[in-house]
Amino acid sequence: MKLFPSLRGLAATAIGCLLALSQAQAQGVDLLPSWNDGAAKARVVAFVKAVTEPGGKDFVPPAERIAVFDNDGTLWSEQPVYFQAMFVRDRVVALAPKNPAWKTKEPFASLIKGDLKAVAASGEKGLAALMAAAHAGMTTAEFDKSVSDWIATARHPKTGRLLTDMTFQPMKELLAYLRDNGFKTFIVSGGGIEFMRPWTERVYGITPEQVVGSSGGLKYELRDGKPVLVKLPSVVLNNDKEGKPVGIQRHIGRRPIAAFGNSDGDFEMLAWTTSAPGARLGMLIHHDDAEREFAYDRKSHVGKLDRGLNEAGTRGWSVVSMKDDWKAVFSAPN
Amino acid sequence: MKLFPSLRGLAATAIGCLLALSQAQAQGVDLLPSWNDGAAKARVVAFVKAVTEPGGKDFVPPAERIAVFDNDGTLWSEQPVYFQAMFVRDRVVALAPKNPAWKTKEPFASLIKGDLKAVAASGEKGLAALMAAAHAGMTTAEFDKSVSDWIATARHPKTGRLLTDMTFQPMKELLAYLRDNGFKTFIVSGGGIEFMRPWTERVYGITPEQVVGSSGGLKYELRDGKPVLVKLPSVVLNNDKEGKPVGIQRHIGRRPIAAFGNSDGDFEMLAWTTSAPGARLGMLIHHDDAEREFAYDRKSHVGKLDRGLNEAGTRGWSVVSMKDDWKAVFSAPN
């Protein structure tokens, strides 16, 4: 009996490790090239050094190096509306012929007329409820395919870029940098968990089990004798604001040591992350670059950042200026 | 600015890889030494070879190598009652002085009198509800500590072993063997998620985020100005039977390619895992060793295995005989 079927796999892993090592040994390579030298970048690097240095007073074992990232406004743009709202609109329009009652039922009626503001006004919670209502009865496999098909061609109304090309290059470098240093990187978003999972691995290198999001009920049943999971209209997790620490505990079961957000919806996630002893990192991405992206904060109906700006200083959170701290904003087209 | 704080970490990883490689290269080392040579062991090895061989028709990329394990009766014993029932009894007895109403309220009254059968009869679902009721109002940190303290000394009523020494050595070898081959190993148990997480990393090498279990509601709030997560009496996931594929989708978001269970509570998990195309592995541990562990199946009130035995053959699932397939049962004392 051959007991070492994975010899080639192990060899490949060892070679991969050696390559990573030699790459890191090459002096002068900046692993965060899209970040300008400044306080934000220095803070990240100092934090990573503190928690990874063996024997250091702030050393954290790799299994406990949990970093959580909001998605909308933190890893990709969220203006003029959460991108998921565009998906919901397109899905509702596509499904409308089979659901004639929607023509007179709100918020479906407004949606079908193209009133995205009405969707946006209901927030991520309203979006999740709409998603659940619009997709109840679909199997998870059918829903996955509908997301994958849509995201492959969906473009931003202002920039014309693919939505997956509205992702932030500095944050992708940060994700990779943390993973290179033994961190596990999780998305913790108010967006729908099943809306994100079909593409986060390709776009961010984040596998489905490391995506936490608002979640609807599911039911196991047999269709044509085969097991399927069917989406229910119920909401089992509203993963926003106070819901984010709940989602983190439910899915990760361990308090993160680093958290990245951009709005007051991330306030409790950062508070939960940074209020335990030891080295902790809390960062808020401030959308202050109207030229390269969008500028909004205290008054915005999407991604409102008000309390976070007020309290970042006293809580020891860094505020990242997209304008000043980032050399580039969007990643190169995928 | 020093940009390579993790150089030593990377070096350690590379050295670890090389050690693993040289270990595997040493001819004749059996990575599953507690398994007798036979059909079950051969099936595992052939499956792992099939999904890890680059270019093979059944090759599965590492990110998709998801293996799920039931806990009670699959990774450790479950007789004479689920071990969690003993925890619940001890907790209820400890908390009883502060909850005088329990003296006349079922199932608390029976529990306080030591009637574990009454708890067992309510099944894993009843246990989860009892857990939730008994611990509502505690913070997750307080609950974690109560589990950790308890499991450090809790012993089995028949064998006198620590409960964590009632874990199965062949299954621990299997977990390690799969992980060495790029698999991610998850627990998917009807037991309480917060009951398992405090010790699964130490005992099985399974980190908290890879533990899926029955879950109660949580609420974020401030106590003495510090954020805490408080346990609620509600049940948000009954992770048993049809609930297991739901828990898998919610937490992992990807269909496993291998599933290991021991009772009809695992039937749907194995059906979900093995009913998709490609190489799949479904295994049922059969408790047929009264001498070294316990012998029970079709008639047992705990860990009943009836439909699984009937349908394993037609579904292509392997039935593992603890008596014939395992050289050893329990792991050496921790």
Side-chain angles (χ1 to χ4, degrees):
Chain A
M1 192 188 309
K2 197 179 167 202
L3 282 166
F4 306 109
S6 68
L7 203 58
R8 271 183 254 178
L10 272 168
T13 308
I15 290 164
C17 290
L18 288 173
L19 286 176
L21 180 62
S22 65
Q23 181 188 33
Q25 278 174 325
Q27 291 292 325
V29 176
D30 184 349
L31 299 174
L32 298 169
S34 299
W35 290 72
N36 287 316
D37 288 326
K41 181 174 181 171
R43 176 99 196 270
V44 168
V45 172
F47 168 76
V48 169
K49 179 172 157 53
V51 299
T52 56
E53 197 154 63
K57 75 173 173 53
D58 289 319
F59 179 78
V60 175
E64 297 170 25
R65 291 179 203 158
I66 306 286
V68 289
F69 291 79
D70 170 58
N71 184 42
D72 297 313
T74 299
L75 296 180
W76 71 354
S77 294
E78 61 185 351
Q79 295 286 0
V81 291
Y82 297 123
F83 296 172
Q84 190 177 334
M86 304 180 205
F87 172 74
V88 173
R89 177 202 53 198
D90 292 351
R91 289 296 299 164
V92 166
V93 168
L95 297 171
K98 288 189 179 173
N99 296 273
W102 289 355
K103 274 188 198 159
T104 53
K105 189 183 170 189
E106 291 296 348
F108 296 97
S110 298
L111 252 192
I112 292 167
K113 286 181 213 135
D115 184 0
L116 271 181
K117 285 265 162 88
V119 185
S122 66
E124 286 185 326
K125 184 174 183 175
L127 259 181
L130 251 178
M131 289 278 285
H135 300 102
M138 287 179 80
T139 68
T140 50
E142 290 164 352
F143 184 74
D144 184 307
K145 185 176 183 312
S146 80
V147 172
S148 299
D149 289 349
W150 182 83
I151 202 98
T153 61
R155 290 182 180 271
H156 192 269
K158 184 180 164 192
T159 66
R161 296 170 74 101
L162 283 176
L163 295 182
T164 47
D165 295 336
M166 300 283 292
T167 48
F168 303 140
Q169 180 61 22
M171 298 306 287
K172 287 184 174 180
E173 293 168 6
L174 181 54
L175 285 167
Y177 174 65
L178 290 172
R179 288 193 292 256
D180 283 350
N181 281 284
F183 278 76
K184 286 177 268 198
T185 54
F186 287 80
I187 288 174
V188 177
S189 166
I193 193 168
E194 310 260 12
F195 173 73
M196 297 182 282
R197 282 171 162 170
W199 51 271
T200 56
E201 188 169 3
R202 171 172 61 88
V203 174
Y204 302 131
I206 295 180
T207 47
E209 74 272 18
Q210 296 189 341
V211 176
V212 181
S214 294
S215 309
L218 294 172
K219 182 168 177 267
Y220 176 89
E221 62 179 51
L222 298 180
R223 289 193 180 173
D224 301 325
K226 289 260 187 190
V228 293
L229 290 168
V230 177
K231 290 173 75 66
L232 301 177
S234 54
V235 174
V236 298
L237 176 63
N238 175 25
N239 196 53
D240 197 25
K241 300 188 173 75
E242 297 86 353
K244 288 203 173 192
V246 171
I248 286 169
Q249 180 64 21
R250 208 181 278 180
H251 285 258
I252 308 176
R254 184 165 252 166
R255 200 191 293 229
I257 62 169
F260 304 85
N262 75 294
S263 80
D264 285 350
D266 303 312
F267 192 94
E268 286 79 6
M269 176 168 82
L270 266 71
W272 175 242
T273 300
T274 61
S275 62
R280 302 277 159 164
L281 180 62
M283 286 199 144
L284 288 169
I285 310 300
H286 189 197
H287 290 261
D288 58 358
D289 192 334
E291 201 170 314
R292 294 187 300 176
E293 203 241 6
F294 302 96
Y296 59 96
D297 47 33
R298 297 179 189 275
K299 305 285 184 194
S300 179
H301 67 286
V302 170
K304 178 180 170 180
L305 178 64
D306 187 34
R307 188 179 173 201
L309 285 178
N310 292 343
E311 299 190 23
T314 54
R315 289 178 178 268
W317 301 343
S318 294
V319 177
V320 176
S321 162
M322 290 176 70
K323 193 174 173 186
D324 298 331
D325 287 314
W326 287 3
K327 245 181 220 128
V329 172
F330 296 123
S331 57
N334 281 301
Chain B
M1 193 187 308
K2 198 180 169 202
L3 282 167
F4 307 107
S6 67
L7 203 58
R8 271 182 255 179
L10 271 169
T13 308
I15 290 165
C17 291
L18 288 173
L19 286 176
L21 180 62
S22 64
Q23 181 188 34
Q25 276 174 326
Q27 291 292 324
V29 176
D30 184 348
L31 298 175
L32 297 169
S34 299
W35 291 72
N36 287 316
D37 288 326
K41 180 174 181 171
R43 175 100 196 269
V44 168
V45 172
F47 169 76
V48 169
K49 179 172 158 51
V51 299
T52 55
E53 196 154 63
K57 75 174 174 55
D58 288 319
F59 178 78
V60 175
E64 297 171 24
R65 291 180 202 157
I66 306 285
V68 289
F69 291 78
D70 170 58
N71 184 42
D72 297 314
T74 299
L75 296 180
W76 72 354
S77 294
E78 61 184 352
Q79 295 286 358
V81 291
Y82 297 124
F83 296 174
Q84 190 177 335
M86 305 181 205
F87 172 74
V88 173
R89 176 203 53 198
D90 292 352
R91 289 296 298 163
V92 166
V93 168
L95 297 171
K98 288 188 178 173
N99 296 272
W102 289 354
K103 275 188 196 158
T104 53
K105 189 182 169 189
E106 292 297 349
F108 296 97
S110 298
L111 252 192
I112 293 167
K113 285 181 214 135
D115 184 0
L116 270 181
K117 286 264 162 87
V119 186
S122 65
E124 287 186 327
K125 185 175 181 175
L127 259 182
L130 251 177
M131 289 278 286
H135 301 101
M138 286 179 80
T139 68
T140 50
E142 290 164 352
F143 185 74
D144 184 308
K145 185 176 184 310
S146 79
V147 173
S148 299
D149 289 350
W150 182 83
I151 201 97
T153 61
R155 288 181 181 273
H156 192 269
K158 183 180 163 192
T159 66
R161 296 170 73 101
L162 282 176
L163 295 182
T164 48
D165 294 336
M166 300 284 292
T167 48
F168 302 141
Q169 179 61 20
M171 297 306 286
K172 287 185 175 180
E173 292 168 7
L174 182 54
L175 285 167
Y177 174 65
L178 290 172
R179 288 193 293 255
D180 283 349
N181 281 284
F183 279 76
K184 288 177 266 197
T185 54
F186 288 79
I187 288 174
V188 177
S189 166
I193 193 168
E194 310 260 11
F195 172 72
M196 295 181 283
R197 282 171 162 170
W199 51 271
T200 56
E201 188 169 4
R202 171 171 62 87
V203 174
Y204 302 132
I206 295 179
T207 47
E209 74 271 17
Q210 295 188 343
V211 176
V212 182
S214 294
S215 310
L218 294 172
K219 184 169 176 264
Y220 176 90
E221 62 179 53
L222 299 179
R223 288 191 180 173
D224 301 326
K226 288 262 187 190
V228 293
L229 290 168
V230 177
K231 289 173 76 67
L232 301 177
S234 54
V235 174
V236 297
L237 175 63
N238 175 24
N239 196 53
D240 197 24
K241 300 187 175 73
E242 298 86 352
K244 288 203 174 191
V246 171
I248 287 169
Q249 180 63 22
R250 208 181 278 180
H251 285 259
I252 308 176
R254 184 165 253 166
R255 199 191 293 228
I257 62 170
F260 304 85
N262 75 295
S263 80
D264 285 350
D266 303 312
F267 191 93
E268 286 80 6
M269 176 168 81
L270 266 69
W272 175 242
T273 299
T274 61
S275 62
R280 303 276 161 165
L281 180 62
M283 286 200 142
L284 288 169
I285 310 301
H286 190 196
H287 291 260
D288 58 358
D289 192 335
E291 200 171 312
R292 294 187 300 176
E293 202 241 6
F294 302 96
Y296 59 97
D297 47 33
R298 297 181 189 273
K299 305 285 184 195
S300 179
H301 67 286
V302 170
K304 178 180 170 179
L305 178 64
D306 186 33
R307 189 180 172 199
L309 284 178
N310 292 342
E311 299 189 24
T314 55
R315 290 177 178 267
W317 302 342
S318 294
V319 176
V320 176
S321 162
M322 289 176 70
K323 193 174 173 186
D324 298 332
D325 287 315
W326 287 2
K327 243 179 223 131
V329 173
F330 297 123
S331 56
N334 281 302

